[in-house]
Amino acid sequence: MADRGFGVVMELAQGFMASQVLFAALELGVFDAAARGPTDADAVARESGLSPRGTRLLMDACARLGLLRAGPDGSFTNTALSSAFLVSGSPLSQRCTLLYLAGTTYRCWGHLADGVREGRSQYARAVGVAAEDDPFAAIYRTEAERSLFTRGLQETWSLCGGRVLTTFDLAAFGVICDVGGGAGALAQEAARLYPGSAVSVFDLPDVVAAAQEEGAGPGVSFLGGDFFRSRLPRADLFVLARVLHDWGDADCVRLLRRLRRALRPGGAVLLVEAVLTPGGAGPLRTLLLSLTMLLQTRGRERTGAEYRDMAARAGLDRFRLRRPGGPYDAMMVRR
Ligand SMILES: C[S@@+](CC[C@H](N)C(=O)[O-])C[C@H]1O[C@@H](n2cnc3c(N)ncnc32)[C@H](O)[C@@H]1O
């Protein structure tokens, strides 16, 4: 029993090492090298200017973690997992998400105890930028950081955007606006699934300008503004995906009230979030995401009942929650 218990504790304690193996291999281009054909550690080290010793140790660890497959001749190939999610340019690549986690999120998590002690964002400690007034001033503290954050978030929707948007049939909503929709990947999916609807994205001016510069979303229009202060466009359906989890309850209700006022009669709001199980005890993935929200934003993940109550305070009712499977759930409330 003691041996087993020790093993469990050490596996938990060393969890960060496994994350770092993944992050380092991604950053150093190991999976991209393996995608060009079977390769050995010396070749990767030579090509990328790495130490042969370190590269060998890193690739061995990757193989043990299921991220590379080691051949009998010392060569390595990608596994199905790394081919799908870790190679640049793969349709399901989560490269930007992982690089963001490896950089900013990892640094913020280094201050988890401080975050719990103080109950607030740890941006100031982690990167030297205060996030008290507006978490997004810190999240978007440089152009590179804004770009990595936004591109990372978009990657999720290649995986589950269609599922989330078909959980409820949205075809009856003629005008759909994705509020806080970032660079428009989810909106683009909505435009593809519901060709009879006009789809737009409303986000901060800098995010919109960058999305337009990068040629985002055919079939989607963009509008820049502040969803707490600017005039919102009228719509039949507002989508709020991973927005409420950034904010405290009072700000969420304020935003939902603004959306309700801008909704056309018969309109609705589609909330897309990772919803905690009733009572809030799980799933683990969502509880950990909630701690990330503590460290990087003013929000947290919530149960369906908590979303229902906030929506009701904003005058939105007929709450329905559906879990399509996968990382995100869909909830609909009506004006
Ligand atoms: C966590 S991200 C979610 C992005 C996107 N909905 C998704 O799920 O991929 C939150 C989004 O809210 C936007 N946002 C934050 N504060 C905002 C504000 N005051 N007005 C408009 N958009 C804002 C951010 O720029 C960002 O795109």
Side-chain angles (χ1 to χ4, degrees):
M1 160 62 200
D3 280 355
R4 216 181 61 222
F6 177 77
V8 170
V9 169
M10 290 316 287
E11 198 168 325
L12 281 174
Q14 293 171 346
F16 76 93
M17 296 181 192
S19 310
Q20 287 297 348
V21 167
L22 166 59
F23 295 156
L26 193 75
E27 181 190 323
L28 297 172
V30 168
F31 305 113
D32 286 344
R36 293 191 284 273
T39 185
D40 61 31
D42 283 344
V44 173
R46 222 176 16 254
E47 266 173 44
S48 306
L50 312 174
S51 72
R53 174 171 170 242
T55 309
R56 177 75 214 212
L57 298 178
L58 182 68
M59 291 179 80
D60 282 343
C62 282
R64 203 60 219 165
L65 288 169
L67 303 175
L68 289 175
R69 186 175 299 107
D73 59 350
S75 70
F76 292 91
T77 49
N78 281 323
T79 60
L81 209 66
S82 45
S83 295
F85 299 114
L86 306 180
V87 170
S88 310
S90 144
L92 294 180
S93 175
Q94 301 297 307
R95 206 183 140 72
C96 295
T97 304
L98 294 171
L99 290 174
Y100 186 80
L101 287 174
T104 305
T105 304
Y106 186 79
R107 281 155 82 184
C108 290
W109 269 80
H111 301 281
L112 178 60
D114 291 315
V116 171
R117 220 174 270 128
E118 297 168 0
R120 63 181 165 148
S121 157
Q122 292 301 306
Y123 260 106
R125 278 198 177 86
V127 301
V129 180
E132 291 313 299
D133 293 339
D134 177 3
F136 281 86
I139 292 171
Y140 294 158
R141 64 194 177 281
T142 63
E143 210 172 309
E145 194 67 12
R146 178 177 37 67
S147 170
L148 189 64
F149 176 83
T150 307
R151 283 188 292 142
L153 285 171
Q154 304 299 288
E155 288 172 346
T156 310
W157 304 124
S158 62
L159 193 70
C160 60
R163 232 180 307 168
V164 155
L165 290 171
T166 51
T167 304
F168 295 95
D169 182 0
L170 308 180
F173 298 105
V175 177
I176 298 177
C177 177
D178 187 0
V179 176
L186 188 62
Q188 221 174 307
E189 191 63 13
R192 191 184 66 77
L193 288 164
Y194 302 105
S197 305
V199 182
S200 66
V201 168
F202 183 96
D203 207 300
L204 292 166
D206 283 354
V207 174
V208 163
Q212 286 173 321
E213 221 165 85
E214 284 162 26
V220 173
S221 59
F222 283 83
L223 192 61
D226 178 338
F227 54 44
F228 287 124
R229 289 178 191 84
S230 311
R231 188 190 171 87
L232 295 168
R234 309 252 15 214
D236 298 304
L237 179 78
F238 285 116
V239 178
L240 267 187
R242 298 188 288 191
V243 169
L244 295 185
H245 79 163
D246 295 332
W247 303 98
D249 290 7
D251 282 332
C252 290
V253 173
R254 186 154 67 101
L255 176 56
L256 288 167
R257 272 200 191 115
R258 299 199 85 226
L259 296 187
R260 184 181 57 78
R261 282 198 291 270
L263 274 178
R264 290 180 169 157
V269 180
L270 180 74
L271 304 174
V272 179
E273 299 282 354
V275 178
L276 288 167
T277 50
L284 176 62
R285 204 194 77 84
T286 307
L287 294 173
L288 298 179
L289 191 58
S290 213
L291 285 170
T292 298
M293 294 303 121
L294 169 71
L295 297 169
Q296 295 195 247
T297 72
R298 290 213 214 132
R300 64 189 173 90
E301 306 309 325
R302 297 175 171 90
T303 62
E306 288 176 306
Y307 283 111
R308 185 197 55 215
D309 292 348
M310 289 196 306
R313 282 169 60 197
L316 294 159
D317 55 19
R318 286 181 277 166
F319 174 88
R320 283 182 295 162
L321 161 65
R322 291 190 183 157
R323 296 183 183 273
Y328 291 101
D329 305 302
M331 295 163 281
M332 188 175 276
V333 283
R334 294 203 165 250
R335 195 181 118 146

